[in-house]
Amino acid sequence: MGGKHGSFAVLLCAAAVLLAAAPAESEIGVNWGTRSLHKMSPATVVDLVRGNGIRKVKLFEADPDVLAALMGSGIEVMVGIPNEMLATVASSPSSADLWVSQNLTRYMVKGGVDIKYVAVGNEPFLASYSGQYQSDVLPAMTNIQQSLVKRNLAGTIKLVVPCNADAYESPSLPSQGAFRPELTQIMTQLVSFLNSIGSPFIVNIYPFLSLYGNSDFPQDYAFFEGTTHQVVDGPNIYYNAFDGNFDTLVSALSRIGYAQMPIVIGEVGWPTEGALSANLTAARAFNQGLVNRVLRNQGTPLRPGVPPMDVYLFSLLDEDGKSILPGNFERHWGIFSFDGQAKYRLDLGNGLLKNAKEVNYLPSRWCIVKPDRDLSAADNHFRTACSFADCTTLDNGGSCNGIGPKVNISYAFNSYYQLQKQNPRSCDFDGLGMVTFLDPSIGECRFLVGVSDAKSSGSRSQSRWVIAIMMTFGYFWLSFMTYGFF
C-alpha cells in the first residue's frame, strides 16, 4: 500500500507541474472610457459588463464614481495614471503614496474592487509626444511600486505601461522588429523592471489605423479571414496584420533579451463610423475574428500555441466627447452605443451581446427644424450646435451622411438639445427649431435621445404609462399643427 500511495503522490506532483507549465487561457476584457457627453450611470455600465459575462475592464484613470460602482462586482480592474500626472508622481514619493491611498487602498477592502493592474501612463512613448513623458515613466513606476510594497500590495497589484505599437518598427518583416532607436535604452530598462515584478508588456495594436493611414495597405490583410497578400518571413507566413504586428514586438523584445516576456493586448478594435473603412460590417468581422482566435488560444508564428495573456477590446462604449484630431472615427469605437445598445451581433464567448438594462433615458422627444422656415440663416446655428454636440455622423463615412441639408440641420439641433437635457430654450435657434414627439430617425441615421447619469428607479418605471399618454396626445397635436392632419 505504501508503494501505491507513493506512486500516486508522484503522479499528483507531475500533474501539478504540467498544469503550471500550461499557458493560462486568454480572456476578453474591455476598455471603459468615460469621455462621453451622454453618460449612463456607472452602476448601469457595471451591470452591462456583468450581464455580458465580461470579467476584466481597463480604465484610463481612477474615476471615483466608476470605482465605487465596481465595488463587489467581481470584475478584475486595471486603473490608469494619466500621462499628465506622471511628473508629479515621479518627482515625489509622497505624491505616489497619496495616489495609492486615494485610488487603490480605499477601494481594496473586503467586498471592494478587484484591482489587478495599475497602468502608469497611457502610450507615454508615442512618437507624436516627442519624448514629453519619457523621462517620467520609470521614476513614477519606482515610486508607485515602493508605495505598494509599504502597503503589502505589491503581490496583488502589478504595474504596467500600455505602449502604442509605434514603440517598435520593422523595415519589412516581423523577424526584423526592433524598438525605435531612441527608445532602445529606456525600453530595456522598462522591460527589465516589468520582468522583475512579474508584470506583462502591454501593447495596443490597431490594424484599422494601418488601413486608414495607408492607401496601399491590402484591406483583407487587416482581417482574419485570410488574404491574398500574405507576408512570407523565412519559414513563417503571416495572413493578417495583427499576427505580423504582434510578432514584430516579439522580435523587438527578443533583441533586448526578453524573448519570453508575457504580452497583453491593451487595446484592439474597429470603429463603426467616421471613415470609409469604418462600418458595422467591418467592425463585426474584425472583432468576431479576433475573439474567435482568442477563445481558441491560437498563437502566432513566433509564439505558436501561446496567445496574448489577455485581450482588451477597444472599446466598451462610444465616446462622443473624445478629440477627433486623429479622425471622426475616434468617437465610434464602441461595441455598444453610448446608451449601452449593441451595435452589431458579436459573441464574446457568452452568447450574443445583450443590451444595457434600466437605462434612464430622457423623454422621447426631439428637436427639429420647423418645416415652413427659411433656412438661409441656419448655418451659424448649425455650426454652433455642432461645436458643442457631436455631429461626426453627418460627415463622409458617417451613418447620417447624405440625408440632405435640412435633415442635417435637424440632426445638429437635436444633438445639442439632448446635450442640454432637453431644455426647451435649447431648441429655439431664433425660432427655427421645434420639439417633436415623432422620431425623425432615417434608416441607419439615428436621432438620439439623451440619458441621465442617474440609475433608473422603480418610480420612473411606474410612471411610464403617464409619459405614454402624454406622448400620444403630443403626437396628434404635432401632426395636426405640422401637416394639418392626424
Side-chain angles (χ1 to χ4, degrees), residues 121-179:
N122 182 49
E123 300 185 339
F125 306 113
L126 198 65
S128 59
Y129 290 149
S130 302
Q132 180 180 354
Y133 306 109
Q134 188 169 315
S135 62
D136 295 322
V137 175
L138 285 171
M141 292 186 76
T142 300
N143 286 344
I144 293 290
Q145 181 67 13
Q146 289 173 351
S147 294
L148 295 178
V149 170
K150 281 188 284 187
R151 291 165 174 78
N152 295 317
L153 292 174
T156 304
I157 299 176
K158 301 299 181 184
L159 303 185
V160 291
V161 181
C163 292
N164 188 281
D166 81 343
Y168 49 91
E169 53 193 15
S170 171
S172 58
L173 299 173
S175 62
Q176 299 173 357
F179 289 108

Side-chain angles (χ1 to χ4, degrees), residues 282-336:
R284 183 191 180 281
F286 179 85
N287 282 333
Q288 193 64 70
L290 173 73
V291 168
N292 291 345
R293 285 170 54 86
V294 172
L295 297 180
R296 288 195 301 265
N297 282 308
Q298 186 173 340
T300 60
L302 290 185
R303 288 192 175 179
V306 184
M309 283 177 60
D310 290 307
V311 176
Y312 292 84
L313 291 179
F314 192 86
S315 62
L316 180 63
L317 302 165
D318 279 352
E319 297 177 80
D320 55 0
K322 290 186 69 177
S323 167
I324 57 172
L325 189 60
N328 287 342
F329 54 81
E330 273 300 307
R331 296 178 176 175
H332 305 282
W333 289 96
I335 56 177
F336 293 95

